Amino acid sequence: MNRVTRRLAIAVLAGLVSAGALTLPGRGAPERSALVTVRPLADSFVSSAGPRRNFGKARTLRVARSPRERAYLRFRLQQTGSVRRATLRIYVLGGRGSFKLALVPSSRWSERAITYRNAPIPGRAVSVTRAHRGWSQIDVTPLVQRSGLVTLALGASRGAIRFASRERGARAPRIVVDTASPGESVIAAAGNIACDPLSPSFNNGVGTATECHQRATSNLLVGAGLAGVLTLGDAQYACGGYAAYQQVFNPTWGRVKALVHPVLGNHDYRPGPLAGTDCDPAALPSGYLRYFGTAAGDPSRGYYSFDIGAWHLIALNTNCGEIGGCGPGTAQEVWLRADLAAHPSGCTLAYMHHPRFSSSWEQAGNTDLDAFWRDLYAARVELVLAGHDHVYERFAPQDPNGKPDPMGIREFVVGTGGFSHHPFFAVQPNSVVRNNTTFGVLKLTLLAGGYDWRFVPEAGAFTDAGSGSCR
């Protein structure tokens, strides 16, 4: 290929990618975000070998265990959107060992006056990084969610390490903040989450290699700048008992409880006393309703709707046998049609526990939900999220009969909240992506006229990403 032909091919390829006609292998949807680089207002280090000495003018920041040396960095952050990710970049000049990072509660110190004797005490270490010469990157997303002054401290976990200070110009420390643009809302979703505290796999909250990863998946939510968290049913095994919610869900996913919009799973209706911890003898979802309170909507229904940004979201109760059915003319189906008519939003998302379509063993096609899907399809709803099957699966847009339709509904099955995994059996038509070995959450960026999706794993390389438009 000659130079002119090569340039033409590259130009055509770039045009296809930018137009959305082509996605490069291994590359997801383009991120709609803003990157802001913030350099420190002040930095210094302190040393027990010179407890009254100030090092504010030094070109080097030092940390060591003996003598005790810590480095301090103060930043002024001005967020204009929700923080997707924030990264501290700091240049290692030399030394050996590893260093720890902590947030300092007070930013009231002076670069030209800080000493070992008057330095503010850091909080608990949030990360430990092995030192290598050159740039090191540390995720500080949970520490920089608000605008204002932020002080970070570096200390030696072992050894002694030297870093470039802000006096070194191009090698100065900096925080790179990736924010969603104003008007965008980022939410996360998953179902099938927390193990019963009496399960052998609970293992004092640590879990096993294949079960009880509720702590790891919840770590993807904390400090992530989310506008909402959708739990897609079976948030707490084995029967949704209130004591179980308090013991397992609450210290993990409960850390973002204020953001949670739940739906009922079939395990919330499991009877006691042998199914799990604190089960309701009447097989009612009393633990779920008590734990989530008003966030669960009308306790007599288990379905409700609300708005996030430019989007209308509908939470449905797909435990059809427990609520008088889900077919045409039932109370929930009549409510759904009325809600869709009352909220003719340009962008709508519905979520529930049971999927209408699935390639996992629980069911190939749940015809009990046919009426719901026909109502959602007629209203041009963009997305449906479900759990129940302990897998991740994405379907291409389709109609209520499972036929490909570019104006149809895109369904995600996200039963990967941490409990366990299910096998796949017969792959259903229009199933595009499947995984049953990875725990994680689906993150959605809700835009004024569309959405981005990305499956975020708690560990491993699997992911899935893309974009869509509202109709």
Side-chain angles (χ1 to χ4, degrees):
M1 182 182 291
N2 61 38
R3 185 176 300 176
V4 174
T5 305
R6 186 182 298 111
R7 287 180 177 174
L8 179 61
I10 292 173
V12 171
L13 179 63
L16 288 170
V17 172
S18 64
L22 180 65
T23 300
L24 295 177
R27 177 175 174 178
E31 294 285 348
R32 295 175 173 89
S33 61
L35 290 177
V36 177
T37 299
V38 182
R39 300 209 179 190
L41 294 174
D43 63 10
S44 185
F45 74 94
V46 299
S47 175
S48 63
R52 297 179 182 272
R53 187 177 175 188
N54 170 259
F55 300 92
K57 295 182 179 181
R59 289 168 54 82
T60 300
L61 302 173
R62 300 198 318 237
V63 301
R65 287 182 61 83
S66 182
R68 291 182 176 236
E69 295 180 336
R70 292 191 301 269
Y72 289 81
L73 304 98
R74 184 168 66 229
F75 298 86
R76 183 182 297 279
L77 300 169
Q78 294 180 328
Q79 265 66 281
T80 58
S82 60
V83 176
R84 289 178 174 174
R85 186 176 180 86
T87 304
L88 172 67
R89 302 192 71 225
I90 189 162
Y91 194 89
V92 177
L93 295 169
R96 300 178 64 180
S98 55
F99 60 94
K100 54 189 177 181
L101 173 74
L103 180 69
V104 180
S106 173
S107 290
R108 299 182 65 181
W109 53 273
S110 167
E111 184 179 68
R112 296 294 187 258
I114 189 172
T115 66
Y116 187 81
R117 286 200 169 186
N118 64 24
I121 303 301
R124 182 179 179 183
V126 296
S127 68
V128 177
T129 305
R130 187 174 180 181
H132 295 283
R133 184 177 177 85
W135 287 104
S136 285
Q137 300 193 122
I138 306 117
D139 184 3
V140 294
T141 307
L143 309 182
V144 296
Q145 289 298 306
R146 296 180 178 85
S147 296
L149 293 175
V150 173
T151 291
L152 304 177
L154 299 174
S157 179
R158 61 183 178 84
I161 305 158
R162 293 176 290 110
F163 304 95
S165 74
R166 74 189 189 108
E167 281 75 14
R168 290 199 181 242
R171 291 183 175 178
R174 71 280 313 264
I175 292 178
V176 180
V177 183
D178 180 4
T179 61
S181 300
E184 298 181 1
S185 302
V186 182
I187 65 172
N192 313 104
I193 299 170
C195 285
D196 192 287
L198 296 180
S199 167
S201 297
F202 179 62
N203 192 22
N204 294 318
V206 178
T208 68
T210 58
E211 293 185 1
C212 304
H213 285 220
Q214 62 276 340
R215 166 67 63 174
T217 54
S218 72
N219 289 339
L220 303 173
L221 311 174
V222 177
L226 300 173
V229 174
L230 313 182
T231 55
L232 307 178
D234 288 355
Q236 178 61 64
Y237 285 83
C239 61
Y242 181 70
Y245 267 106
Q246 290 284 35
Q247 293 176 53
V248 188
F249 185 92
N250 195 58
T252 56
W253 282 58
R255 291 181 291 168
V256 293
K257 184 179 178 181
L259 301 175
V260 172
H261 303 276
V263 291
L264 282 155
N266 57 293
H267 277 266
D268 289 301
Y269 290 93
R270 290 285 291 274
L274 301 178
T277 300
D278 195 22
C279 303
D280 188 314
L284 297 173
S286 58
Y288 166 94
L289 294 172
R290 182 180 176 188
Y291 180 77
F292 288 112
T294 57
D298 184 335
S300 67
R301 303 192 303 187
Y303 48 90
Y304 57 97
S305 68
F306 57 98
D307 294 329
I308 292 182
W311 281 66
H312 186 59
L313 283 77
I314 303 172
L316 295 174
N317 185 351
T318 54
N319 296 280
C320 301
E322 284 75 21
I323 58 168
C326 299
T330 57
Q332 186 173 191
E333 191 273 333
V334 171
W335 171 88
L336 175 59
R337 280 190 283 113
D339 185 81
L340 290 167
H343 298 86
S345 173
C347 302
T348 305
L349 177 156
Y351 64 105
M352 58 202 72
H353 182 54
H354 300 84
R356 171 68 179 85
F357 301 98
S358 172
S359 299
S360 189
W361 66 274
E362 291 281 358
Q363 68 275 318
N366 190 341
T367 56
D368 288 346
L369 307 181
D370 183 70
F372 289 173
W373 264 69
R374 293 190 182 281
D375 292 341
L376 298 171
Y377 178 78
R380 296 298 187 192
V381 168
E382 280 71 33
L383 297 173
V384 166
L385 312 183
H388 193 56
D389 294 338
H390 301 197
V391 301
Y392 175 80
E393 186 168 21
R394 173 167 59 88
F395 287 83
Q398 56 189 332
D399 68 15
N401 298 315
K403 303 295 184 183
D405 183 347
M407 299 298 289
I409 299 170
R410 175 174 274 127
E411 183 194 55
F412 291 86
V413 180
V414 195
T416 54
F419 181 72
S420 67
H421 286 109
H422 283 168
F424 286 109
F425 281 83
V427 176
Q428 297 302 299
N430 305 310
S431 175
V432 180
V433 175
R434 294 168 302 282
N435 178 276
N436 65 346
T437 59
T438 307
F439 294 111
V441 302
L442 179 68
K443 285 193 176 179
L444 294 168
T445 301
L446 305 179
L447 311 168
Y451 57 93
D452 299 339
W453 77 81
R454 183 177 297 277
F455 179 82
V456 182
E458 55 96 1
F462 171 75
T463 189
D464 177 42
S467 296
S469 299
C470 298
R471 300 182 295 279

